[in-house]
Every structure is written in structure tokens, then in C-alpha cells.
Amino acid sequence: MTLLESSPARPDRDSGFVSGVAVQTSSVEGDTGVVAETIPILPSADFDATTTFWAAFGFGARGRWPDYLILRHEDLGIELHFWRDQAVDRWTNDVACYVRLDSPDEAREVHAGWAQLEVPGPARMSAPESEPSGAVEFHIIDPHGNLVRLGGFPQHESPA
């Protein structure tokens, strides 16, 4: 996916879309011919802390407004969006998202690339876990308590 700014962009809270931003994606078309991609929107009480935390994992800022932040990992093609929530509590935040990688091997490779990072507490990154199905998953919990689970499934399997 490539983010192309056609004009000063800002999030539109009523529609849920980011206005002024054109999104181009290489996702596979569905049966209806519609190309779609899902991008999580996670809460953040401090965009500077969020940007610094995710920068260690290779994410860079793609856009920032008073109440909205877009981070992207160019090499992996992963994009995370954040909305400002001054009241988010790291210990009670129950927001999560899943980032599906192409395969269990890719999940292992991504984790290995990040394994030497010192993740500042209370944030954390788990070790990769191999599931009986052959899937490999791990997770990152950011300083605001957002759970970002990453995993890859064997090609022959699709989760129900």
C-alpha cells in the first residue's frame, strides 16, 4: 500500500476516513471486485512517545495531525494508525489488532529482526510461539497498552 497525500490531510471523525489522502493498495480483489485493506486505529495519549516507541521497530511517521497519527514500516508494508485519547490507561486498555504476515517463516524472520531491541517497560514483546496448526505468532504491547499480535499461517491453512 502506498499513501499519497493529495492535499493537507486530516482525519474525519464522522466518516472514519482520512480526508485528503488517497490510498493505493496491491491487495487481492474479492469476489465483488472491490480491493480493500483493514488498518487498525489504536489509542495514544502521547504521539511523541508512540512515534519513538514504534521507531525502534522500524516504523516512521507518514502523517501527523493534532488528533491523528499514521506510522508505517516501509519494508514490511505494515501501517498503524493512532487517535489521540488522553484518558487511555495502559493497564486497562483492551484495544488489539492482528497483523497477518505471509508465512510462519516470515513471522520468525520479523521477530528475529526485532529480538535484540530493548523494549522499555511496561511495554513488551513476546517470544514467537508455534501453534499446533503450524502458525507462528508473537505480540507487542506498546506503552499505551495496545496489543499488536503478529503471525503467519501455513499456506494450506486459513483461520476460520
Side-chain angles (χ1 to χ4, degrees):
M1 184 177 93
T2 305
L3 188 69
L4 306 168
E5 292 192 26
S6 58
S7 65
R10 64 171 189 65
D12 181 327
R13 290 185 178 193
D14 295 329
S15 68
F17 292 101
V18 178
S19 61
V21 177
V23 178
Q24 176 184 353
T25 181
S26 59
S27 299
V28 178
E29 289 186 14
D31 293 339
T32 63
V34 174
V35 177
E37 184 172 29
T38 302
I39 299 174
I41 305 174
L42 309 169
S44 170
D46 181 341
F47 285 169
D48 290 335
T50 297
T51 300
T52 299
F53 176 80
W54 287 102
F57 293 91
F59 287 79
R62 295 285 294 173
R64 183 172 174 162
W65 303 269
D67 293 325
Y68 207 82
L69 171 67
I70 299 173
L71 300 179
R72 181 168 173 80
H73 194 295
E74 292 295 338
D75 293 340
L76 298 175
I78 301 170
E79 195 165 287
L80 301 173
H81 291 209
F82 296 87
W83 59 283
R84 185 175 307 281
D85 179 1
Q86 297 293 341
V88 68
D89 177 19
R90 187 262 181 271
W91 302 109
T92 60
N93 180 6
D94 61 358
V95 177
C97 73
Y98 195 92
V99 177
R100 185 171 181 166
L101 302 168
D102 286 337
S103 69
D105 288 339
E106 185 177 6
R108 283 186 203 92
E109 289 171 19
V110 168
H111 186 276
W114 294 339
Q116 300 307 315
L117 294 176
E118 290 188 34
V119 179
R124 65 179 182 204
M125 181 174 69
S126 73
E129 296 180 15
S130 295
E131 303 295 330
S133 65
V136 173
E137 298 177 317
F138 66 97
H139 68 263
I140 298 169
I141 300 176
D142 77 5
H144 301 293
N146 294 304
L147 169 64
V148 178
R149 183 176 270 305
L150 300 98
F153 293 85
Q155 294 298 323
H156 65 276
E157 180 183 333
S158 180

